[in-house]
Amino acid sequence: MELETKAIQAGYEPKNGDPRMIPIIQSTTFKYDTSEDMGKLFDLEASGYFYTRLQNPTNDMVAAKICAMEGGTAAMLTSSGQAATFFSVFNIAGQGDHIVSSSTIYGGSFNLFNVTMRRMGIDFTFVDPDCSDEELEAAFKPNTKAVFGETIANPALIVFDIERFAKAAHAHGVPLIVDNTFATPVNCRPIEWGADIVTHSTTKYMDGHDSTVGGCIVDGGKFDWMAHKDKFPGLTTPDESYHGITYAEKFGMGGAFITKCTAQLMRDLGSIQAPMNAFLLNLGLESLPVRMPRHCENAQKVAEFLEANDKVSWVNYPGLPSNKYYELAKKYMPNGTCGVISFGVKGGRKGAETFMKHLKVAMIATHVADAHTCVLHPASSTHRQMNDEELIAAGVAPDLIRLSVGIENVNDIIADVKQALDQVE
């Protein structure tokens, strides 16, 4: 099936007389006839459900749809994109391990890595995504367990060279984890370019309507854990906390990562997505292939308008021929990148504040990547935990305005931006 069809039909095949829509299984527990039947579930000898803190049928059907859209072999939903990012790394790294990460990642992810996970004993080396091959090679250590990056950095909009980083990761026997939130599988499927694990904040374009917080992890099923047995003991040696199962042996390359993440991390940390949220997410997924082209078309026109406006000091949008990442974006995302633009208003922080104050259609909100046009000053909100040096390293200038272009009529969006810019001195 093509992507548009998968977005509608993948993940759930109703039988004769079944509900047409994915049903909401709003139950914490599931009944079985015998203890032996339930015991098989706890031993991972049979498929099924016993407690929604680990798995829920509604969640699994929606995860299966995202898995099909990304071209993966297994997937799971989480309570948020932040939980998905944490689980994707913590599933294969622990105290004393090391991760190589792009420096231009979402501020919340940077803080998760640089502060919280460091306190857990995991070390991180942050590299400029445009670093030289020598600098990238120097970032790896004997205890490196993964490489992490974002297809399109939030909010720096730097396009990640997936093939290059996948090659480096695989040369060191570790997987590449890619956050594909901004591009979505409509515009880019990182697994096809060498990524091994793909994460999403489904809160953004996938939901698309400001209604649900959620995340997803997709396994590409191509990384051979057993070939690097010493690096990944959590997957390649018996898990005594789960009946001595060796995940890579029992579930193979296509299922080991997600099974361990569910049976171990979700069991212990419980960052499950609510079934009702998964149901709403599915409604967003069904229209995702229709919405994304409109986001990209609108953003392209707004970016071109901003580039020509004398009140704007700079514009960053990968769809502009003048953009540094234009050619890389054409390689990985030939049909469009995303609806997010970053730019600076003349007058710095003061000019940005004046501009935002006079907007009428675009809303000031911490959210991004949904049907509504919204705007944010990251340095004073999502990235406010960073100092100026860290902001610049993350590709977030102190005067940067993040404009998430929605699917309203583009003429209304441009008129709103114009009248607000007219107020800037």
Side-chain angles (χ1 to χ4, degrees):
M1 293 187 293
E2 295 297 326
L3 185 85
E4 295 84 353
T5 308
K6 290 177 181 177
I8 300 292
Q9 297 197 11
Y12 173 59
E13 295 183 14
K15 298 181 176 61
N16 189 41
D18 281 353
R20 174 61 192 90
M21 286 298 296
I22 288 177
I24 305 169
I25 310 300
Q26 194 67 41
S27 180
T28 60
T29 50
F30 302 82
K31 178 260 184 187
Y32 287 90
D33 292 334
T34 69
S35 294
E36 288 78 12
D37 289 339
M38 183 171 283
K40 291 177 182 178
L41 301 178
F42 278 89
D43 289 340
L44 300 181
E45 295 291 343
S47 297
Y49 304 89
F50 50 84
Y51 197 47
T52 285
R53 191 183 79 229
L54 282 85
Q55 285 180 286
N56 177 280
T58 304
N59 291 15
D60 282 358
M61 287 183 274
V62 178
K65 175 173 287 189
I66 296 173
C67 185
M69 293 172 72
E70 282 286 7
T73 57
M76 64 188 292
L77 297 187
T78 60
S79 57
S80 67
Q82 194 80 325
T85 298
F86 173 61
F87 277 20
S88 70
V89 174
F90 196 58
N91 200 37
I92 52 176
Q95 185 175 18
D97 290 333
H98 172 257
I99 303 292
V100 175
S101 173
S102 168
S103 62
T104 59
I105 56 176
Y106 166 59
S109 299
F110 182 89
N111 198 70
L112 170 67
F113 292 168
N114 196 44
V115 178
T116 303
M117 295 188 76
R118 283 192 191 277
R119 290 204 300 263
M120 301 170 71
I122 303 174
D123 188 26
F124 288 83
T125 296
F126 295 95
V127 297
D128 187 324
D130 297 329
C131 67
S132 67
D133 290 342
E134 292 74 21
E135 289 170 326
L136 179 55
E137 180 66 24
F140 287 88
K141 300 180 180 180
N143 59 338
T144 300
K145 296 301 175 72
V147 177
F148 184 93
E150 294 178 355
T151 311
I152 306 173
N154 175 16
L157 302 182
I158 291 170
V159 178
F160 191 62
D161 194 340
I162 302 170
E163 276 193 321
R164 178 175 177 241
F165 279 81
K167 182 179 179 181
H170 296 159
H172 287 270
V174 301
L176 173 63
I177 304 170
V178 174
D179 182 330
N180 196 35
T181 297
F182 268 16
T184 81
V186 173
N187 288 338
C188 183
R189 287 175 290 281
I191 293 167
E192 296 177 0
W193 297 99
D196 301 290
I197 307 295
V198 173
T199 65
H200 286 276
S201 170
T202 62
T203 316
K204 309 302 188 297
Y205 286 122
M206 283 188 165
D207 167 67
H209 299 87
D210 292 304
S211 61
T212 62
V213 174
C216 186
I217 306 172
V218 180
D219 184 2
K222 297 180 180 180
F223 192 84
D224 191 345
W225 306 104
M226 293 303 293
H228 308 284
K229 187 173 182 178
D230 293 342
K231 277 186 173 291
F232 305 102
L235 284 160
T236 62
T237 60
D239 178 6
E240 298 305 331
S241 77
Y242 217 103
H243 316 296
I245 283 174
T246 300
Y247 297 101
E249 289 181 351
K250 187 172 182 62
F251 300 101
M253 291 164 57
F257 186 91
I258 294 296
T259 303
K260 177 181 180 293
C261 205
T262 301
Q264 193 181 84
L265 300 190
M266 194 63 83
R267 173 198 64 192
D268 294 345
L269 300 174
S271 299
I272 194 75
Q273 187 168 147
M276 183 67 205
N277 283 10
F279 176 84
L280 294 173
L281 167 59
N282 181 63
L283 297 182
L285 288 170
E286 290 189 348
S287 65
L288 183 64
V290 179
R291 289 184 285 108
M292 284 307 295
R294 177 63 172 261
H295 279 291
C296 295
E297 178 186 338
N298 280 1
Q300 184 69 31
K301 292 178 180 177
V302 173
E304 290 170 357
F305 167 80
L306 289 169
E307 194 171 45
N309 192 285
D310 60 7
K311 295 289 183 74
V312 175
S313 52
W314 57 271
V315 182
N316 181 16
Y317 185 66
L320 293 173
S322 59
N323 189 271
K324 178 180 180 180
Y325 300 98
Y326 179 75
E327 292 301 328
L328 204 58
K330 285 295 183 184
K331 172 183 175 179
Y332 291 117
M333 294 161 276
N335 296 321
T337 55
C338 66
V340 182
I341 303 166
S342 60
F343 66 99
V345 174
K346 290 180 179 177
R349 283 180 182 252
K350 183 178 179 181
E353 290 171 359
T354 300
F355 167 76
M356 294 172 70
K357 187 185 301 182
H358 287 88
L359 289 168
K360 297 176 182 178
V361 174
M363 298 177 288
I364 298 175
T366 54
H367 205 228
V368 67
D370 65 68
H372 304 84
T373 294
C374 51
V375 64
L376 192 71
H377 182 223
S380 60
S381 54
T382 56
H383 289 62
R384 68 180 299 121
Q385 75 274 15
M386 295 185 181
N387 58 40
D388 282 354
E389 185 176 297
E390 289 174 331
L391 282 170
I392 293 170
V396 183
D399 65 340
L400 181 149
I401 293 172
R402 184 183 71 182
L403 178 65
S404 179
V405 181
I407 56 175
E408 303 96 340
N409 186 290
V410 71
N411 294 325
D412 291 331
I413 300 171
I414 290 174
D416 186 40
V417 170
K418 182 181 184 304
Q419 63 83 23
L421 286 171
D422 288 343
Q423 305 302 317
V424 178
E425 297 179 358

